[in-house]
Amino acid sequence: MRRAAPHGGSAPGAPLPPLLPSLPPPPPLGKMMKFRFRRQGHDPQREKIKQDLFAFNKTVEHGFPNQPSSLAFDPKLCIMAIGTKSGAVKIYGAPGVEFTGLHKETATVTQMHFLPGQGRLLSLLDDNTLHLWEIYLKDGYSHLEETRSFVLPGRPGSPPSITRVTVISLQSAGDVAYLGTEGGGVYALELPTLALLEDRTLYQDEVMQRVPEDYRCGKALGPVESLQEHPRDPTKILIGYSRGLMVLWDKSTRSASHLFLGNQQLESLAWERSGQTIVSSHSDGGYAIWSVASGSAKTLQPATSTIPYGPFPCKAINKIVWQSCDSGGHFIIFSGGMPRASYGDRHCVTILQGQALVTLDFTSRVIDFFTVYDTEVEAESDNPAALVVLVEEELVAIDLRTPGWPTIPAPYLAPLHSSAITCSYHISNVPLKLWERIISAGEHQSPRLSTANWPINGGRSLAQEPTQRGLLLTGHEDGTVRFWDASGVSLKPLYKLGTASIFQTDCDHSDSLNQSCEEEWPPFRKVGCFDPYSDDPRLGIQKIALCKYTAKMVVAGTAGQVLVMELSDEKSEHVVSVAVVDLLQDREGFTWKGHDRLPPKNGALPFAPGFQPSLLVQCMPPAALTAVTLHSEWNLVAFGTSHGFGLYDYHRRNPVLARCTLHPNDSLAMEGPLSRVKSLKKSLRQSFRRIRKSRVSGKKRVNTSSPSSKVHEANAQLAEQPGPHEVEMTPVQRRIEPRSADDSLSGVVRCLYFADTFLRDAAHHGPTMWAGTNSGSVFAYALEVPSQEKFAERSAEAVLGKEIQLMHRAPVVSIAVLDGRGNPLPEPYEVSRDLAKAPDMQGSHSVLIASEEQFKVFTLPKVSAKTKFKLTAHEGCRVRKVGLVSFASAACEDYAENGLACLTNLGDIHIFTVPGLRPQVHYDCVRKEDISGIASCVFTKHGQGFYLISPSEFERFSLSTRNITEPLCILDTSRSHDATCLGNSFALTPKLNQANGTHVVRSSDPNRSLSSIERSPEEHQASFSPTPVDSPNNSIDTPLDMTGDITAEEVKDYLTPSEETERNRRNINEDEARSPGILIK
């Protein structure tokens, strides 16, 4: 692991950087030198505190595995395994029981088979290698490790494909695996040593000698398609060849007990439990039933043969299973077999029992399926309880014991991407009442689901019950918002909110597809929830804000729609109020060329229990929302687009404010993300202008004759020289080129924020609203909010208080106000409901502004610079996501610190103190190439986070030593538990391998932290009430590729007299001219 570069300052005795020869000697250093170089070595006490506060772990992957390729089930341990195309192996049992492994080779897992009851798994990759995985016990928990691998040796003089494994069959005793190959040979492998038992090898030539002459016809039997052990006689194995021949082979006598001379290309074989009947499936879409009890050693014809979806040509039945029942009427379950011409593109699994037949219709390709049945040897019937089907995009379980065969809701493996995820939002410490109401609303949505328990319930979770309830909300392309229980290891779906029904779209036709008429053949039943197609891209959800105390919610979309919603426990029918807010404010010269707004439906609309819209605020032009925030105590919602921002009083249904942020040259903002009329000529012209500018500025910089440039070169060479480890060099700052004001999309509103703070003067505090834009502008408004008693009488008002322009026009990513103690302000209603400590209103407040380049704290109300940290200048990276986090100590129950967590465009996470902005630790989290992963990251209030590692999976990580959510479980196997894996000794690595190929060591290396930094005793106080990124007070998102600086160039104060304004400007200029040490410069 690479050590993070230290930030700022040098150790005593470190050589000072050479001064420019043209500059006068510096002023006397005195106290400034003492202040600047006060950091002397490491502070062991501070390092210990940091270890108790900060630790980085990737803990669990939520959602559905990306690109699954194989499935396995252990009926004895009741656990399931899924393999993927990236070489990942994921094992699931009861909720909370999860194991993840990753093959060293990035190859597709084509087959997996459990050694029943042993906690061992055999996997086959598409490079023809076999791997043995083992779940073993160490330190009280079970872990998964790969223990052995094996490659089947080729036959001399034969091509490698001859020994390519096509099928694997594990014997019931669990000591031998039989491998069928493309060359028709069958090989025996000893388990668990993976040693080849050459004396048991069966070549196709030996089988051909038992086949009648007229059946051979000079043709080979083809690859081995199926190997099935006799259910009552372990000495016999059924071998099925591609050409259609099936041989019941007696392993003890090495002879063929029975030949089944099929002539149709074979796809799959299955035994009936008594061992008297075989069912075979074929490439023509048919299946045949063969009797084994006949006296003859050869069977020429099956007892029955049928093509269930004939008579027209059908696709192959890939897999078939026969299950018997005590009640009579066996099950036949198979995948495929659809009529080629009419339904060849359908992905189906058919359940057939007597006269009952259902065709389960999935929206993605069927990978594999299995049944959960009675495994007791004494049982005469299988009595299947459930059918579990793995398709490319989801896992579906069907209850086979309930009439109608309903779906069993899954407690994990939910397809997060049932419609593409467009945004995410996390809420910590959800009140119990709101939690129960959301669950109740979700239960009303799915009355037809089975009440049966989840059938895959092996193992035991040893993780402690979550101490608080966490909600993860995901916005989707089809206009839905899904609520997930993110409290523990399993991400469980709670409730789904749809917004499409409010608008006039073409979405309604999908409902008619689900209602199949009784006469339809095949009798399709739509199952699963994966539906990636959105009828209207304008429905896509861009931003979400939720107040957990009042159950009010704001959902903002792609076509300028802002929906204000409230949770209701009863269904209702009402009219949704519509208000239009013009963000252009009649500015001339701008014409919107993008998509139209979504027309709302007229009249009263029916709404089910759950979140119901009461108000639609339509922004014009109808551009995608880029920021939204809600203050339910003041009844205000603020929203921003690429054109400007607005403020709306949803109680009085009254617009409070609309402000256009467009620059005169911001023509690109008028074209919209879905526009097809973007001017290519204009884009090329702008590109050439940028190139020309960079060349001109480059030429200016490359003037090697000037003495200053030679000194710069010398400084650069000096900086590149490796110094002694104990010497801390002042970091070389990169030069940041300021961006011109006419850059496209400069008016995009990046963040909005409400705060009760000091804006007019230092004596009176009140409601304020802050907005930050892509061009480095910050607007602060003083709000006149009526008291609770007068809400009905008068509406809120807004007056522009301050306007700040950052010098390099860096995009503003986040704004947060800190109270007199330096703590973030609490959320609405937190203080009044005694859920948070009241903010300090006696000391002076400050505002923390984070841009893509720097973090800076300004005093309020004067807006003079107080502290800053130049992240881009020091690290060469740009800020993408930030969150204010409360880090609780693992050593001391009552100690906690506020921190600023920051994710950069390089995928690194940095943590800084608040308000001191001192760097603490820095970790590699996301691959820098994974742009969508970085853009999707969301931090939680207590030091965890989520980001997408694939369209269907969230990676969960923890930055806190104390607050970790990870699978801690135990699996009781039939073998003795060893401290180490088979034949190998492994170090304990509970969560090393990630399915996306990222290997993360679970440890908190103190060397990863930045240089040790002294802190004043005041900063160790443990009274904290942070407002995180998930607060409704904050909206900080939109990954746009911009750079800049955050030095205040201009502050306009609209509330103070002109003399005080001039004095403030003078103070700022003086602050910038001074050199108060590492905290500022």
Side-chain angles (χ1 to χ4, degrees):
M1 290 186 288
R2 65 179 179 84
R3 180 170 175 172
H7 292 283
S10 304
L16 291 172
L19 299 171
L20 297 175
S22 57
L23 295 178
L29 296 178
K31 292 181 181 178
M32 192 183 83
M33 281 289 292
K34 182 180 178 183
F35 174 72
R36 184 175 179 117
F37 297 99
R38 67 180 180 177
R39 293 187 290 166
Q40 301 184 9
H42 288 279
D43 178 359
Q45 186 177 359
R46 179 59 194 164
E47 287 300 316
K48 176 68 174 68
I49 293 173
K50 280 159 63 172
Q51 287 180 17
D52 293 337
L53 292 172
F54 313 116
F56 179 75
N57 294 300
K58 290 186 178 180
T59 54
V60 68
E61 290 159 14
H62 293 307
F64 184 76
N66 189 39
Q67 296 183 309
S69 55
S70 57
L71 179 69
F73 178 63
D74 186 335
K76 290 187 177 178
L77 295 181
C78 236
I79 56 175
M80 168 185 71
I82 295 177
T84 72
K85 290 185 178 178
S86 61
V89 173
K90 291 169 172 273
I91 296 177
Y92 303 91
V97 177
E98 294 186 17
F99 305 96
T100 300
L102 188 68
H103 289 91
K104 297 180 180 66
E105 304 82 1
T106 307
T108 300
V109 184
T110 56
Q111 289 186 51
M112 293 188 300
H113 300 270
F114 278 105
L115 280 64
Q118 297 185 29
R120 293 187 176 121
L121 178 75
L122 191 63
S123 63
L124 172 68
L125 304 186
D126 64 356
D127 62 3
N128 209 38
T129 58
L130 284 159
H131 303 261
L132 186 68
W133 296 82
E134 182 173 325
I135 297 171
Y136 67 101
L137 190 68
K138 186 166 185 179
D139 297 337
Y141 302 116
S142 294
H143 308 284
L144 176 69
E145 291 286 357
E146 181 184 343
T147 58
R148 296 185 185 279
S149 61
F150 172 80
V151 181
L152 193 61
R155 294 178 66 181
S158 301
S161 61
I162 292 292
T163 53
R164 183 168 188 82
V165 178
T166 55
V167 64
I168 300 173
S169 174
L170 266 64
Q171 300 306 282
S172 54
D175 56 349
V176 176
Y178 284 91
L179 316 177
T181 62
E182 276 192 17
V186 178
Y187 299 82
L189 205 59
E190 186 182 53
L191 297 176
T193 58
L194 297 191
L196 186 63
L197 302 173
E198 298 189 23
D199 58 322
R200 300 196 194 181
T201 302
L202 174 64
Y203 294 114
Q204 196 175 102
D205 305 344
E206 193 173 347
V207 175
M208 285 288 276
Q209 295 172 10
R210 272 78 171 176
V211 176
E213 190 67 36
D214 58 344
Y215 185 83
R216 294 183 211 174
C217 301
K219 296 179 184 176
L221 298 177
V224 178
E225 290 291 344
S226 185
L227 289 171
Q228 300 286 337
E229 185 186 51
H230 194 292
R232 299 292 183 187
D233 186 355
T235 63
K236 294 178 181 177
I237 186 170
L238 183 66
I239 307 169
Y241 294 92
S242 176
R243 184 176 149 189
L245 175 70
M246 292 163 281
V247 179
L248 185 58
W249 187 260
D250 190 326
K251 296 177 286 186
S252 57
T253 60
R254 292 190 67 89
S255 62
S257 300
H258 206 116
L259 296 177
F260 304 90
L261 304 177
N263 288 308
Q264 187 63 43
Q265 183 176 328
L266 184 70
E267 295 287 335
S268 170
L269 283 174
W271 281 101
E272 183 264 329
R273 189 180 181 103
S274 68
Q276 297 176 358
T277 308
I278 297 166
V279 60
S280 61
S281 69
H282 302 276
S283 61
D284 64 348
Y287 67 86
I289 297 172
W290 306 76
S291 175
V292 186
S294 62
S296 171
K298 290 196 291 281
T299 300
L300 301 177
Q301 294 295 329
T304 60
S305 179
T306 181
I307 300 178
Y309 296 113
F312 299 108
C314 295
K315 299 188 76 172
I317 293 179
N318 308 108
K319 179 177 179 176
I320 193 163
V321 167
W322 177 305
Q323 301 267 266
S324 56
C325 294
D326 286 337
S327 58
H330 55 263
F331 280 93
I332 291 181
I333 303 170
F334 60 86
S335 61
M338 287 293 104
R340 283 186 181 276
S342 48
Y343 299 112
D345 58 343
R346 296 287 186 103
H347 312 288
C348 298
V349 172
T350 299
I351 306 175
L352 176 63
Q353 185 187 31
Q355 298 301 311
L357 185 147
V358 168
T359 310
L360 304 177
D361 187 13
F362 299 91
T363 52
S364 56
R365 185 172 62 89
V366 176
I367 305 294
D368 201 354
F369 66 87
F370 64 81
T371 55
V372 180
Y373 59 92
D374 192 345
T375 57
E376 292 297 325
V377 181
E378 299 80 22
E380 295 184 0
S381 301
D382 298 301
N383 296 318
L387 166 69
V388 180
V389 184
L390 175 68
V391 294
E392 267 188 328
E393 307 293 353
E394 59 188 320
L395 183 91
V396 177
I398 305 295
D399 182 358
L400 296 179
R401 291 184 179 171
T402 302
W405 302 329
T407 301
I408 304 173
Y412 45 71
L413 285 174
L416 301 173
H417 63 319
S418 50
S419 174
I421 294 176
T422 49
C423 65
S424 52
Y425 181 83
H426 186 272
I427 304 133
S428 302
N429 296 322
V430 178
L432 179 60
K433 186 176 180 182
L434 174 63
W435 188 263
E436 291 173 342
R437 293 176 70 193
I438 290 172
I439 291 174
S440 174
E443 288 171 348
H444 279 97
Q445 292 182 324
S446 50
R448 291 180 294 177
L449 292 180
S450 169
T451 57
N453 293 326
W454 182 244
I456 301 151
N457 54 14
R460 287 179 289 123
S461 175
L462 302 179
Q464 293 182 347
E465 283 296 311
T467 54
Q468 54 95 14
R469 291 167 292 276
L471 265 182
L472 181 67
L473 275 59
T474 52
H476 297 264
E477 194 178 48
D478 62 356
T480 59
V481 177
R482 293 165 199 256
F483 290 64
W484 309 90
D485 177 359
S487 313
V489 171
S490 300
L491 194 69
K492 185 180 176 183
L494 298 179
Y495 168 67
K496 173 181 160 185
L497 166 67
T499 62
S501 61
I502 303 161
F503 303 101
Q504 298 174 24
T505 65
D506 299 327
C507 295
D508 302 328
H509 74 83
S510 60
D511 297 333
S512 60
L513 292 178
N514 295 337
Q515 298 167 358
S516 56
C517 37
E518 293 181 12
E519 293 80 20
E520 183 185 12
W521 182 261
F524 289 116
R525 184 205 291 174
K526 204 84 173 165
V527 285
C529 60
F530 177 72
D531 183 11
Y533 305 108
S534 172
D535 293 296
D536 197 327
R538 296 175 295 174
L539 289 168
I541 305 299
Q542 295 296 324
K543 297 290 166 190
I544 304 168
L546 172 66
C547 175
K548 60 189 178 185
Y549 302 113
T550 59
K552 283 196 168 58
M553 181 176 178
V554 175
V555 175
T558 305
Q561 71 270 31
V562 179
L563 286 163
V564 180
M565 300 186 159
E566 191 164 358
L567 184 59
S568 171
D569 300 325
E570 305 294 332
K571 64 181 180 181
S572 122
E573 188 166 332
H574 62 262
V575 177
V576 178
S577 303
V578 180
V580 178
V581 176
D582 180 16
L583 295 180
L584 287 184
Q585 294 294 287
D586 301 323
R587 188 176 290 198
E588 296 180 359
F590 290 97
T591 305
W592 173 248
K593 303 173 187 175
H595 50 266
D596 294 330
R597 59 180 282 189
L598 280 163
K601 289 180 180 177
N602 298 320
L605 301 174
F607 297 101
F611 281 94
Q612 300 171 353
S614 58
L615 170 68
L616 165 63
V617 180
Q618 179 63 56
C619 299
M620 297 300 288
L625 271 296
T626 55
V628 152
T629 188
L630 167 72
H631 201 296
S632 52
E633 205 165 357
W634 302 339
N635 292 328
L636 293 175
V637 57
F639 44 87
T641 70
S642 53
H643 307 127
F645 55 89
L647 183 64
Y648 198 88
D649 182 339
Y650 57 80
H651 183 77
R652 293 268 301 173
R653 303 284 196 270
N654 186 54
V656 180
L657 167 70
R659 170 74 184 247
C660 181
T661 54
L662 282 178
H663 188 271
N665 294 344
D666 250 355
S667 56
L668 276 184
M670 301 305 297
E671 296 183 1
L674 307 177
S675 170
R676 297 184 180 180
V677 294
K678 182 177 280 191
S679 168
L680 178 62
K681 191 185 297 183
K682 192 176 295 179
S683 300
L684 288 170
R685 193 185 304 129
Q686 288 177 342
S687 300
F688 281 120
R689 277 180 186 163
R690 286 197 194 95
I691 293 169
R692 201 157 51 239
K693 272 185 194 172
S694 65
R695 283 177 179 168
V696 170
S697 59
K699 286 174 184 173
K700 287 178 183 174
R701 290 198 300 272
V702 182
N703 184 4
T704 55
S705 60
S706 70
S708 63
S709 67
K710 291 178 180 176
V711 174
H712 278 308
E713 287 179 16
N715 283 343
Q717 290 174 2
L718 183 65
E720 288 171 4
Q721 292 176 3
H725 292 295
E726 66 276 3
V727 177
E728 291 184 7
M729 302 293 292
T730 303
V732 178
Q733 296 188 11
R734 294 161 176 80
R735 179 172 178 174
I736 309 301
E737 289 297 328
R739 171 173 348 169
S740 66
D742 62 350
D743 272 358
S744 63
L745 300 178
S746 62
V748 174
V749 177
R750 293 291 293 273
C751 58
L752 293 162
Y753 178 72
F754 286 119
D756 184 353
T757 187
F758 301 89
L759 192 63
R760 297 174 181 272
D761 54 57
H764 304 92
H765 64 86
T768 62
M769 187 197 79
W770 301 71
T773 73
N774 228 26
S775 58
S777 299
V778 176
F779 303 93
Y781 283 82
L783 305 178
E784 291 288 342
V785 178
S787 61
Q788 295 281 351
E789 301 80 29
K790 296 183 179 179
F791 267 142
E793 299 174 17
R794 50 188 283 257
S795 179
E797 296 176 5
V799 180
L800 181 60
K802 294 203 169 38
E803 189 175 328
I804 307 167
Q805 178 61 59
L806 307 180
M807 183 175 290
H808 284 88
R809 306 188 180 277
V812 180
V813 181
S814 164
I815 301 170
V817 171
L818 309 175
D819 70 5
R821 290 187 293 264
N823 297 326
L825 299 183
E827 296 178 31
Y829 288 109
E830 268 195 328
V831 175
S832 61
R833 300 190 182 193
D834 296 327
L835 297 169
K837 193 173 181 180
D840 181 2
M841 291 298 187
Q842 303 303 317
S844 60
H845 283 200
S846 53
V847 58
L848 168 61
I849 298 178
S851 83
E852 287 194 351
E853 300 279 340
Q854 295 187 22
F855 309 113
K856 194 161 188 177
V857 175
F858 297 92
T859 61
L860 287 177
K862 288 187 176 182
V863 193
S864 56
K866 185 178 179 183
T867 310
K868 72 179 174 184
F869 185 85
K870 299 180 179 180
L871 186 70
T872 300
H874 289 187
E875 299 290 329
C877 54
R878 292 190 289 275
V879 177
R880 283 291 176 262
K881 301 281 176 174
V882 295
L884 285 165
V885 178
S886 173
F887 290 99
S889 170
C892 178
E893 192 75 25
D894 300 326
Y895 184 76
E897 285 188 15
N898 285 327
L900 179 71
C902 151
L903 176 68
T904 73
N905 64 324
L906 301 181
D908 297 337
I909 288 181
H910 301 253
I911 298 176
F912 302 87
T913 59
V914 173
L917 296 184
R918 295 187 174 98
Q920 298 300 292
V921 286
H922 140 223
Y923 307 108
D924 297 327
C925 180
V926 192
R927 290 178 297 110
K928 63 182 178 182
E929 300 84 10
D930 187 3
I931 297 170
S932 62
I934 294 171
S936 64
C937 180
V938 57
F939 292 108
T940 76
K941 185 175 182 175
H942 299 293
Q944 297 193 43
F946 303 84
Y947 69 92
L948 288 171
I949 52 174
S950 74
S952 59
E953 289 172 290
F954 273 113
E955 175 73 73
R956 187 175 191 138
F957 62 87
S958 174
L959 304 172
S960 167
T961 307
R962 179 164 156 186
N963 186 23
I964 299 178
T965 302
E966 61 181 349
L968 298 173
C969 52
I970 188 168
L971 187 70
D972 297 316
T973 61
S974 58
R975 58 182 170 78
S976 59
H977 289 298
D978 302 321
T980 58
C981 297
L982 236 173
N984 291 316
S985 181
F986 288 92
L988 179 62
T989 52
K991 187 65 172 55
L992 274 178
N993 302 329
Q994 308 299 307
N996 63 340
T998 310
H999 295 257
V1000 181
V1001 178
R1002 260 223 60 190
S1003 67
S1004 176
D1005 187 352
N1007 292 336
R1008 302 282 296 148
S1009 54
L1010 301 177
S1011 53
S1012 137
I1013 299 170
E1014 291 181 6
R1015 289 165 50 89
S1016 62
E1018 294 80 39
E1019 291 179 34
H1020 285 286
Q1021 291 182 357
S1023 54
F1024 302 97
S1025 175
T1027 301
V1029 69
D1030 57 14
S1031 162
N1033 280 10
N1034 214 343
S1035 171
I1036 45 178
D1037 248 347
T1038 315
L1040 297 173
D1041 192 15
M1042 301 290 177
T1043 55
D1045 198 5
I1046 193 175
T1047 305
E1049 175 188 74
E1050 182 181 17
V1051 179
K1052 294 179 184 175
D1053 195 334
Y1054 295 91
L1055 296 174
T1056 53
S1058 56
E1059 302 86 30
E1060 190 174 343
T1061 305
E1062 284 301 316
R1063 196 158 54 249
N1064 286 347
R1065 287 180 182 170
R1066 254 197 324 274
N1067 288 341
I1068 291 171
N1069 292 334
E1070 288 170 7
D1071 286 342
E1072 292 295 336
R1074 285 194 216 109
S1075 179
I1078 58 169
L1079 297 183
I1080 302 293
K1081 289 292 180 186

